[in-house]
Coordinates of all heavy atoms in Angstrom, one line a residue:
M21 N 85.0 75.8 56.4 CA 84.8 77.2 56.2 C 85.5 78.2 57.1 O 86.1 79.2 56.7 CB 83.3 77.5 56.0 CG 83.2 79.0 55.9 SD 81.4 79.4 55.4 CE 81.3 80.9 56.1
G22 N 85.6 77.7 58.4 CA 86.2 78.6 59.4 C 87.6 78.8 59.2 O 88.1 79.8 59.4
Q23 N 88.3 77.7 58.8 CA 89.7 77.9 58.6 C 89.9 78.9 57.3 O 90.9 79.6 57.4 CB 90.4 76.6 58.3 CG 90.4 75.6 59.5 CD 91.0 74.3 59.1 OE1 91.1 73.9 58.0 NE2 91.4 73.6 60.2
R24 N 89.1 78.7 56.3 CA 89.4 79.7 55.2 C 89.2 81.2 55.7 O 89.9 82.1 55.2 CB 88.4 79.4 54.1 CG 88.6 80.1 52.8 CD 87.8 79.8 51.6 NE 87.0 78.5 51.8 CZ 85.9 78.3 51.2 NH1 85.4 79.3 50.5 NH2 85.3 77.2 51.4
V25 N 88.2 81.5 56.5 CA 87.9 82.9 56.9 C 89.2 83.2 57.6 O 89.7 84.5 57.6 CB 86.7 82.9 57.9 CG1 86.6 84.1 58.4 CG2 85.5 82.6 56.9
V26 N 89.8 82.4 58.6 CA 90.9 82.7 59.4 C 92.1 83.0 58.5 O 92.8 84.0 58.7 CB 91.2 81.6 60.5 CG1 92.6 81.8 61.1 CG2 90.1 81.4 61.5
L27 N 92.4 82.3 57.6 CA 93.5 82.4 56.7 C 93.3 83.6 55.9 O 94.3 84.4 55.7 CB 93.8 81.3 55.8 CG 94.2 79.9 56.5 CD1 94.2 78.8 55.5 CD2 95.5 80.1 57.1
T28 N 92.1 83.9 55.4 CA 92.0 85.1 54.5 C 92.0 86.4 55.4 O 92.5 87.3 54.8 CB 90.3 85.1 53.9 OG1 90.2 83.9 53.1 CG2 90.2 86.3 53.2
A29 N 91.6 86.4 56.7 CA 91.9 87.5 57.5 C 93.2 87.7 58.0 O 93.6 88.6 58.6 CB 91.0 87.3 58.7
G30 N 94.2 86.6 57.7 CA 95.6 86.8 58.1 C 95.8 86.6 59.5 O 96.7 87.0 60.1
L31 N 94.8 85.9 60.2 CA 94.9 85.5 61.5 C 95.7 84.2 61.9 O 95.5 83.3 60.9 CB 93.5 85.4 62.2 CG 92.7 86.6 62.2 CD1 91.3 86.4 62.6 CD2 93.4 87.8 63.0
P32 N 96.3 84.0 63.0 CA 96.9 82.6 63.2 C 95.8 81.7 63.4 O 94.7 82.0 63.9 CB 97.7 83.0 64.5 CG 97.1 84.1 65.1 CD 96.5 85.1 64.0
P33 N 96.1 80.4 63.2 CA 95.2 79.4 63.4 C 95.0 78.9 64.8 O 95.7 78.2 65.3 CB 95.7 78.1 62.6 CG 97.2 78.4 62.6 CD 97.3 79.9 62.5
I34 N 94.2 79.7 65.5 CA 93.9 79.4 66.9 C 92.6 78.7 67.2 O 91.6 79.1 66.7 CB 93.9 80.8 67.8 CG1 95.3 81.5 67.6 CG2 93.6 80.6 69.1 CD1 95.3 82.8 68.1
R35 N 92.7 77.5 68.0 CA 91.5 76.9 68.3 C 90.8 77.5 69.5 O 91.4 78.2 70.3 CB 91.7 75.4 68.6 CG 92.5 74.7 67.5 CD 93.2 73.4 67.9 NE 94.1 73.7 69.2 CZ 94.3 72.8 70.2 NH1 93.9 71.6 70.0 NH2 95.3 73.1 71.1
L36 N 89.5 77.3 69.8 CA 88.8 77.6 71.0 C 89.5 77.1 72.1 O 89.6 77.9 73.3 CB 87.4 77.2 71.0 CG 86.5 77.9 70.1 CD1 85.1 77.2 70.1 CD2 86.4 79.3 70.3
H37 N 90.1 75.9 72.2 CA 90.9 75.4 73.3 C 92.2 76.2 73.6 O 92.5 76.4 74.8 CB 91.2 73.9 73.1 CG 91.5 73.3 74.3 ND1 90.8 72.9 75.5 CD2 92.8 72.9 74.9 CE1 91.4 72.3 76.3 NE2 92.6 72.3 76.1
D38 N 92.8 76.7 72.6 CA 93.9 77.6 72.7 C 93.5 78.8 73.5 O 94.3 79.5 74.3 CB 94.5 77.9 71.4 CG 95.1 76.8 70.7 OD1 95.5 75.7 71.3 OD2 95.1 76.7 69.4
L39 N 92.4 79.4 73.1 CA 91.8 80.7 73.8 C 91.6 80.3 75.4 O 91.8 81.2 76.2 CB 90.6 81.1 73.2 CG 90.8 81.7 71.7 CD1 89.4 82.0 71.1 CD2 91.7 82.8 71.7
R40 N 91.1 79.1 75.6 CA 91.0 78.7 77.1 C 92.3 78.8 77.8 O 92.4 79.3 78.9 CB 90.3 77.4 77.1 CG 90.2 76.7 78.4 CD 89.6 75.4 78.1 NE 89.7 74.6 79.5 CZ 88.7 74.5 80.3 NH1 87.7 75.3 80.2 NH2 88.8 73.7 81.3
H41 N 93.3 78.3 77.2 CA 94.6 78.3 77.9 C 95.1 79.7 78.0 O 95.8 80.0 78.9 CB 95.7 77.4 76.9 CG 95.6 75.9 77.1 ND1 95.9 75.4 78.3 CD2 95.1 75.0 76.3 CE1 95.7 74.1 78.2 NE2 95.2 73.9 77.0
G42 N 94.9 80.4 76.9 CA 95.3 81.9 77.0 C 94.6 82.6 78.1 O 95.2 83.5 78.8
A43 N 93.4 82.4 78.3 CA 92.6 83.1 79.3 C 93.1 82.8 80.8 O 93.3 83.5 81.6 CB 91.1 82.7 79.1
A44 N 93.5 81.4 80.9 CA 93.9 81.0 82.2 C 95.4 81.5 82.5 O 95.6 82.0 83.5 CB 94.1 79.4 82.2
T45 N 96.2 81.6 81.4 CA 97.4 82.2 81.6 C 97.4 83.7 81.8 O 98.2 84.2 82.8 CB 98.3 82.0 80.3 OG1 98.4 80.5 80.0 CG2 99.7 82.5 80.5
L46 N 96.5 84.3 81.2 CA 96.4 85.8 81.5 C 95.7 86.1 82.9 O 96.2 87.0 83.6 CB 95.5 86.4 80.5 CG 96.2 86.6 79.0 CD1 95.2 87.2 78.1 CD2 97.3 87.5 79.1
A47 N 94.8 85.2 83.5 CA 94.4 85.2 84.7 C 95.6 85.0 85.8 O 95.5 85.9 86.7 CB 93.2 84.2 84.9
Y48 N 96.4 84.1 85.6 CA 97.5 83.9 86.4 C 98.4 85.3 86.4 O 98.8 85.6 87.5 CB 98.3 82.7 86.1 CG 98.0 81.5 86.9 CD1 97.5 80.4 86.3 CD2 98.0 81.4 88.3 CE1 97.3 79.2 87.0 CE2 97.7 80.3 89.0 CZ 97.4 79.3 88.3 OH 97.0 78.1 89.1
A49 N 98.7 85.6 85.2 CA 99.5 86.8 85.1 C 99.0 88.0 85.8 O 99.7 89.0 86.3 CB 99.9 87.1 83.7
A50 N 97.6 88.1 85.8 CA 97.0 89.2 86.4 C 96.8 89.1 87.9 O 96.5 90.1 88.6 CB 95.6 89.4 85.9
G51 N 97.4 88.1 88.5 CA 97.4 87.8 90.0 C 96.3 86.9 90.4 O 96.1 86.7 91.8
A52 N 95.5 86.3 89.6 CA 94.4 85.4 90.2 C 95.1 84.2 90.8 O 96.0 83.7 90.3 CB 93.6 84.9 89.0
D53 N 94.5 83.7 91.9 CA 94.9 82.5 92.6 C 94.6 81.3 92.0 O 93.6 81.3 91.1 CB 94.6 82.5 94.1 CG 93.2 82.4 94.4 OD1 92.4 82.4 93.4 OD2 92.8 82.2 95.5
T54 N 95.2 80.2 92.3 CA 94.9 78.9 91.6 C 93.4 78.6 91.8 O 92.9 78.0 90.9 CB 95.9 77.8 92.1 OG1 97.2 78.2 92.0 CG2 95.6 76.4 91.5
K55 N 92.9 78.6 92.8 CA 91.4 78.3 93.1 C 90.6 79.0 92.1 O 89.6 78.3 91.6 CB 91.0 78.5 94.5 CG 89.6 78.2 94.9 CD 89.3 76.6 94.8 CE 87.9 76.3 95.0 NZ 87.5 75.0 94.6
M56 N 90.7 80.3 92.0 CA 90.1 81.1 91.0 C 90.1 80.6 89.6 O 89.2 80.4 88.8 CB 90.4 82.5 91.1 CG 89.6 83.5 90.1 SD 87.8 83.4 90.4 CE 87.6 84.2 91.9
V57 N 91.4 80.4 89.1 CA 91.6 79.8 87.7 C 90.9 78.5 87.6 O 90.3 78.2 86.6 CB 93.1 79.9 87.4 CG1 93.3 79.3 86.0 CG2 93.7 81.3 87.6
S58 N 91.2 77.7 88.6 CA 90.6 76.3 88.6 C 89.0 76.4 88.5 O 88.5 75.6 87.7 CB 91.0 75.5 89.7 OG 90.6 74.2 89.7
T59 N 88.5 77.3 89.3 CA 86.9 77.4 89.1 C 86.5 77.9 87.7 O 85.6 77.4 87.2 CB 86.5 78.3 90.3 OG1 86.9 77.7 91.5 CG2 85.0 78.5 90.3
M60 N 87.3 78.8 87.3 CA 87.0 79.5 85.9 C 87.0 78.4 84.9 O 86.2 78.4 84.0 CB 88.0 80.6 85.7 CG 87.9 81.2 84.4 SD 89.1 82.6 84.1 CE 90.6 81.6 83.7
L61 N 88.1 77.5 84.9 CA 88.2 76.5 84.0 C 87.3 75.2 84.2 O 87.2 74.3 83.4 CB 89.6 76.1 83.8 CG 90.6 77.2 83.4 CD1 92.1 76.7 83.4 CD2 90.2 77.7 81.9
R62 N 86.7 75.2 85.3 CA 85.9 74.1 85.8 C 86.7 72.8 85.9 O 86.2 71.7 85.6 CB 84.7 73.9 85.0 CG 83.7 75.2 85.0 CD 82.5 75.0 84.1 NE 81.7 73.9 84.4 CZ 80.6 73.8 85.2 NH1 80.2 74.9 85.7 NH2 80.0 72.7 85.4
H63 N 87.9 73.0 86.4 CA 88.8 71.7 86.6 C 88.3 71.0 87.8 O 87.7 71.5 88.6 CB 90.2 72.1 86.9 CG 91.0 72.6 85.6 ND1 92.1 73.1 85.5 CD2 90.7 72.3 84.3 CE1 92.5 73.4 84.4 NE2 91.7 72.8 83.5
S64 N 88.5 69.6 87.9 CA 88.1 68.9 88.9 C 89.0 69.1 90.2 O 88.4 68.7 91.4 CB 88.0 67.4 88.6 OG 89.5 67.0 88.2
S65 N 90.3 69.6 90.1 CA 91.0 69.8 91.0 C 92.1 71.0 90.8 O 92.2 71.2 89.8 CB 91.8 68.5 91.5 OG 92.9 68.4 90.6
T66 N 92.5 71.6 91.9 CA 93.5 72.7 91.7 C 94.8 72.1 91.3 O 95.7 72.8 90.7 CB 93.5 73.5 93.0 OG1 94.0 72.7 94.1 CG2 92.4 74.3 93.3
N67 N 95.0 70.8 91.6 CA 96.3 70.2 91.1 C 96.4 70.1 89.6 O 97.5 70.4 89.1 CB 96.4 68.7 91.7 CG 96.7 68.7 93.2 OD1 97.1 69.6 93.7 ND2 96.3 67.6 93.8
L68 N 95.3 69.8 88.9 CA 95.4 69.9 87.5 C 95.7 71.2 87.0 O 96.6 71.4 86.1 CB 94.0 69.4 86.9 CG 93.7 69.5 85.4 CD1 94.8 68.7 84.7 CD2 92.4 69.1 85.0
T69 N 95.0 72.3 87.6 CA 95.3 73.6 87.1 C 96.7 74.0 87.4 O 97.4 74.6 86.6 CB 94.3 74.6 88.0 OG1 93.1 74.1 87.7 CG2 94.6 76.0 87.4
E70 N 97.3 73.7 88.6 CA 98.6 74.0 88.9 C 99.7 73.3 88.0 O 100.6 74.0 87.5 CB 99.0 73.8 90.5 CG 98.3 74.7 91.4 CD 98.5 74.3 92.8 OE1 98.9 73.0 93.0 OE2 98.4 75.0 93.7
N71 N 99.4 72.1 87.8 CA 100.4 71.3 86.9 C 100.3 71.7 85.4 O 101.4 71.7 84.8 CB 100.0 69.9 87.0 CG 100.3 69.3 88.4 OD1 101.1 69.7 89.1 ND2 99.6 68.2 88.6
T72 N 99.2 72.4 85.0 CA 99.0 72.8 83.6 C 99.6 74.2 83.5 O 100.3 74.5 82.4 CB 97.6 72.7 83.2 OG1 97.3 71.4 83.4 CG2 97.5 73.1 81.8
Y73 N 99.5 75.1 84.4 CA 99.6 76.5 84.0 C 100.6 77.3 84.8 O 101.0 78.3 84.4 CB 98.2 77.3 84.3 CG 97.1 76.9 83.3 CD1 96.1 76.0 83.6 CD2 97.2 77.2 82.0 CE1 95.2 75.6 82.7 CE2 96.3 76.8 81.1 CZ 95.3 76.0 81.5 OH 94.3 75.6 80.6
T74 N 101.1 76.7 86.0 CA 102.0 77.5 86.8 C 103.3 77.7 86.1 O 104.1 78.5 86.6 CB 102.1 77.0 88.2 OG1 102.4 75.7 88.2 CG2 100.7 77.1 89.0
T75 N 103.7 76.8 85.3 CA 105.0 77.0 84.6 C 105.1 77.6 83.3 O 106.1 77.7 82.7 CB 105.7 75.5 84.5 OG1 104.7 74.7 83.7 CG2 105.8 74.8 85.8
V76 N 103.8 78.1 82.9 CA 103.8 78.8 81.6 C 104.6 80.1 81.6 O 105.3 80.3 80.5 CB 102.3 79.0 81.2 CG1 102.1 79.8 80.0 CG2 101.6 77.6 81.2
L77 N 104.4 80.9 82.6 CA 105.1 82.3 82.5 C 106.2 82.2 83.4 O 106.0 82.5 84.7 CB 104.1 83.3 82.7 CG 102.8 83.4 81.9 CD1 101.9 84.3 82.4 CD2 103.4 83.8 80.5
P78 N 107.4 82.1 83.1 CA 108.6 82.2 84.0 C 108.8 83.6 84.7 O 109.1 83.7 85.8 CB 109.8 81.9 83.1 CG 109.3 81.7 81.8 CD 107.9 81.8 81.7
E79 N 108.2 84.7 84.0 CA 108.2 85.8 84.8 C 107.4 85.9 86.0 O 107.6 86.7 86.9 CB 108.0 87.1 83.7 CG 106.5 86.9 83.2 CD 106.6 86.3 81.8 OE1 107.5 85.6 81.4 OE2 105.4 86.3 81.1
L80 N 106.4 85.0 86.0 CA 105.5 85.0 87.2 C 106.3 84.3 88.3 O 106.2 84.9 89.4 CB 104.2 84.1 87.0 CG 103.2 84.6 86.0 CD1 102.1 83.8 85.9 CD2 102.8 86.1 86.5
A81 N 107.1 83.4 88.1 CA 107.9 82.8 89.1 C 108.9 83.8 89.6 O 109.3 83.9 90.8 CB 108.7 81.6 88.5
H82 N 109.5 84.6 88.6 CA 110.5 85.6 89.0 C 109.9 86.7 89.9 O 110.4 87.1 90.9 CB 111.2 86.2 87.7 CG 112.1 87.3 88.0 ND1 113.4 86.9 88.4 CD2 112.0 88.6 88.0 CE1 114.1 88.2 88.8 NE2 113.3 89.1 88.4
A83 N 108.7 87.1 89.5 CA 108.1 88.2 90.3 C 107.6 87.6 91.7 O 107.7 88.4 92.7 CB 106.7 88.5 89.5
A84 N 107.2 86.3 91.8 CA 107.0 85.8 93.1 C 108.3 85.7 94.0 O 108.3 86.0 95.2 CB 106.4 84.4 92.9
A85 N 109.3 85.4 93.4 CA 110.6 85.4 94.2 C 111.1 86.7 94.6 O 111.4 87.0 95.7 CB 111.7 84.8 93.3
E86 N 110.9 87.7 93.8 CA 111.2 89.2 94.1 C 110.3 89.6 95.3 O 110.8 90.3 96.1 CB 111.0 90.1 92.9 CG 112.0 89.8 91.8 CD 113.5 90.2 92.3 OE1 113.6 91.3 93.1 OE2 114.5 89.6 91.9
A87 N 109.0 89.3 95.2 CA 108.0 89.7 96.2 C 108.3 89.1 97.5 O 108.4 89.7 98.5 CB 106.6 89.4 95.8
S88 N 108.7 87.8 97.5 CA 109.2 87.0 98.7 C 110.4 87.8 99.2 O 110.5 88.0 100.5 CB 109.4 85.6 98.3 OG 108.2 85.0 98.0
A89 N 111.4 88.1 98.4 CA 112.7 88.7 98.9 C 112.5 90.1 99.5 O 113.0 90.4 100.4 CB 113.6 88.7 97.8
A90 N 111.5 90.7 98.9 CA 111.1 92.0 99.4 C 110.7 92.1 100.9 O 110.7 93.2 101.6 CB 110.2 92.8 98.5
I91 N 110.0 91.1 101.3 CA 109.5 91.1 102.7 C 110.4 90.6 103.7 O 110.1 90.6 105.0 CB 108.1 90.4 102.8 CG1 108.3 88.9 102.5 CG2 107.1 91.0 101.9 CD1 107.1 88.0 102.9
V92 N 111.6 90.1 103.3 CA 112.7 89.6 104.3 C 113.3 90.9 104.9 O 113.7 91.7 104.2 CB 113.7 88.7 103.6 CG1 114.7 88.4 104.5 CG2 112.9 87.5 103.0
P93 N 113.2 90.9 106.3 CA 113.8 92.1 106.9 C 115.4 92.1 106.7 O 116.0 91.1 106.5 CB 113.7 91.8 108.4 CG 112.7 90.7 108.4 CD 112.7 90.0 107.3
R94 N 115.9 93.3 106.5 CA 117.3 93.5 106.3 C 117.9 94.2 107.5 O 117.2 95.0 108.1 CB 117.5 94.4 105.0 CG 116.9 93.9 103.8 CD 117.7 92.8 103.2 NE 117.4 92.4 101.9 CZ 116.4 91.6 101.6 NH1 115.7 90.9 102.4 NH2 116.2 91.2 100.3
A95 N 119.2 94.0 107.7 CA 119.8 94.6 108.7 C 120.1 96.1 108.4 O 120.3 96.5 107.3 CB 121.3 94.1 109.1
V96 N 119.9 97.0 109.3 CA 120.0 98.4 109.0 C 121.4 98.9 109.7 O 121.7 98.6 110.8 CB 118.8 99.2 109.7 CG1 119.0 100.8 109.4 CG2 117.5 98.8 109.2
S97 N 122.2 99.6 108.9 CA 123.5 100.0 109.4 C 123.4 101.3 110.2 O 122.4 102.0 109.9 CB 124.4 100.1 108.2 OG 124.1 101.2 107.5
Q98 N 124.3 101.6 111.0 CA 124.4 102.9 111.7 C 124.5 104.1 110.8 O 124.0 105.2 111.1 CB 125.6 102.9 112.6 CG 125.4 102.0 113.9 CD 124.7 102.4 114.9 OE1 124.3 103.6 115.1 NE2 124.4 101.6 115.9
T99 N 125.1 103.9 109.6 CA 125.3 105.0 108.8 C 124.0 105.5 108.0 O 123.9 106.5 107.5 CB 126.3 104.6 107.6 OG1 125.7 103.5 106.9 CG2 127.7 104.3 108.2
D100 N 123.0 104.6 108.1 CA 121.6 105.0 107.6 C 120.9 106.1 108.4 O 119.9 106.5 108.0 CB 120.7 103.9 107.4 CG 121.2 102.9 106.3 OD1 121.9 103.3 105.4 OD2 120.9 101.6 106.3
G101 N 121.5 106.4 109.6 CA 120.8 107.3 110.4 C 119.7 106.7 111.3 O 118.9 107.3 112.0
L102 N 119.6 105.3 111.2 CA 118.5 104.6 111.9 C 119.2 103.9 113.0 O 120.4 103.4 112.8 CB 117.8 103.8 111.0 CG 117.0 104.5 109.7 CD1 116.5 103.4 108.7 CD2 115.9 105.3 110.3
P103 N 118.4 103.4 113.9 CA 119.2 102.5 114.9 C 119.5 101.2 114.4 O 118.8 100.7 113.4 CB 118.0 102.4 116.0 CG 116.7 102.7 115.3 CD 117.1 103.7 114.2
S104 N 120.4 100.5 114.9 CA 120.9 99.2 114.3 C 119.9 98.2 114.8 O 119.0 98.4 115.7 CB 122.4 98.9 115.0 OG 122.2 98.7 116.3
V105 N 120.0 97.0 114.3 CA 119.0 96.0 114.6 C 119.1 95.6 116.1 O 118.1 95.4 116.7 CB 119.3 94.6 113.8 CG1 118.5 93.5 114.2 CG2 119.1 95.0 112.4
S106 N 120.3 95.5 116.7 CA 120.5 95.3 118.0 C 119.8 96.4 118.9 O 119.4 96.1 119.9 CB 122.0 95.1 118.4 OG 122.7 96.3 118.2
Q107 N 119.8 97.6 118.5 CA 119.3 98.7 119.3 C 117.7 98.6 119.2 O 117.1 99.0 120.2 CB 119.7 100.0 118.8 CG 121.1 100.3 119.1 CD 121.7 101.6 118.5 OE1 121.2 101.9 117.4 NE2 122.6 102.2 119.1
R108 N 117.2 98.1 118.1 CA 115.8 98.1 118.0 C 115.1 96.8 118.7 O 114.2 96.8 119.0 CB 115.3 98.0 116.5 CG 115.5 99.3 115.8 CD 115.1 99.4 114.4 NE 116.0 98.5 113.5 CZ 115.6 97.7 112.7 NH1 114.3 97.6 112.4 NH2 116.4 97.0 111.9
H109 N 116.0 95.7 118.7 CA 115.4 94.4 119.3 C 116.6 93.9 120.3 O 117.0 92.9 120.1 CB 115.2 93.5 118.2 CG 114.3 93.9 117.2 ND1 113.0 94.0 117.2 CD2 114.6 94.4 115.9 CE1 112.3 94.5 116.2 NE2 113.3 94.8 115.2
P110 N 116.7 94.6 121.4 CA 117.8 94.2 122.3 C 117.3 92.9 123.0 O 118.2 92.1 123.3 CB 117.8 95.4 123.3 CG 116.5 96.0 123.3 CD 116.1 95.9 121.7
V111 N 116.0 92.6 123.2 CA 115.7 91.4 123.9 C 115.8 90.3 123.1 O 116.4 89.2 123.7 CB 114.1 91.5 124.2 CG1 113.7 90.2 124.9 CG2 113.9 92.6 125.2
A112 N 115.8 90.2 121.8 CA 116.1 89.2 120.9 C 117.5 88.7 120.9 O 117.8 87.5 120.6 CB 115.6 89.5 119.5
L113 N 118.4 89.6 121.3 CA 119.8 89.3 121.3 C 120.4 88.8 122.7 O 121.5 88.5 122.8 CB 120.6 90.5 120.9 CG 120.3 91.0 119.5 CD1 121.1 92.3 119.1 CD2 120.6 89.8 118.5
R114 N 119.5 88.8 123.7 CA 120.0 88.3 125.0 C 120.1 86.9 125.0 O 119.3 86.1 124.5 CB 119.0 88.8 126.1 CG 119.1 90.2 126.4 CD 118.3 90.5 127.7 NE 118.2 92.0 127.7 CZ 117.1 92.6 128.0 NH1 116.1 92.0 128.4 NH2 117.2 93.9 128.2
I115 N 121.1 86.3 125.8 CA 121.2 84.9 126.0 C 120.4 84.5 127.1 O 120.4 85.1 128.2 CB 122.7 84.4 126.2 CG1 123.6 84.9 125.0 CG2 122.8 83.1 126.6 CD1 125.1 84.8 125.2
P116 N 119.6 83.4 127.0 CA 118.6 83.0 128.0 C 119.5 82.8 129.3 O 120.6 82.2 129.3 CB 118.1 81.7 127.6 CG 118.2 81.8 126.1 CD 119.4 82.6 125.9
G117 N 118.9 83.4 130.5 CA 119.6 83.1 131.7 C 120.6 84.3 132.1 O 121.1 84.3 133.2
E118 N 120.9 85.0 131.1 CA 121.9 86.1 131.3 C 121.2 87.4 131.7 O 120.1 87.6 131.3 CB 122.7 86.3 130.0 CG 123.7 87.3 130.0 CD 124.4 87.6 128.7 OE1 123.9 88.2 127.8 OE2 125.4 87.0 128.5
R119 N 121.8 88.2 132.6 CA 121.1 89.4 133.0 C 121.7 90.7 132.3 O 122.7 90.7 131.9 CB 121.3 89.5 134.5 CG 120.5 88.7 135.3 CD 120.5 88.9 136.7 NE 119.6 88.0 137.4 CZ 118.7 88.4 138.0 NH1 118.4 89.6 138.3 NH2 117.8 87.5 138.6

């Protein structure tokens, strides 16, 4: 009977288990960490959760790569009106034993 109601309503045939996967995927997309998603799904380990869900949304991988790149320090040129990297960190550029 359930399938007939779904078809009559024009809904796609989605199982309850599909909704579980959808909820986990949306939780990852919203920024939930693996431990939280694993706990939500009552998985026995976070490895199961990671292996199942972390490759579902490629845009999450892209966003993570962009966020990682954003925190990498960049060299500042003199034309920016800011001191150069060597002026801001002169100690880091000294050779050990050199005065």
Side-chain angles (χ1 to χ4, degrees):
M21 173 168 152
Q23 290 178 341
R24 189 175 346 148
V25 172
V26 169
L27 291 173
T28 302
L31 298 172
I34 296 175
R35 305 168 299 156
L36 285 175
H37 195 77
D38 297 332
L39 295 175
R40 175 182 168 88
H41 283 289
T45 302
L46 289 173
Y48 264 121
D53 67 351
T54 301
K55 179 65 177 163
M56 177 60 68
V57 176
S58 184
T59 301
M60 178 179 79
L61 297 174
R62 300 179 57 96
H63 282 165
S64 58
S65 74
T66 56
N67 288 340
L68 174 62
T69 309
E70 288 176 342
N71 291 338
T72 305
Y73 295 102
T74 55
T75 60
V76 174
L77 297 173
E79 58 270 13
L80 291 180
H82 180 74
E86 290 292 325
S88 297
I91 64 170
V92 175
R94 304 286 193 269
V96 179
S97 69
Q98 293 276 353
T99 59
D100 291 336
L102 300 172
S104 68
V105 173
S106 62
Q107 290 172 328
R108 288 185 289 139
H109 303 288
V111 176
L113 299 176
R114 287 191 188 136
I115 299 171
E118 186 180 78
R119 290 185 175 242

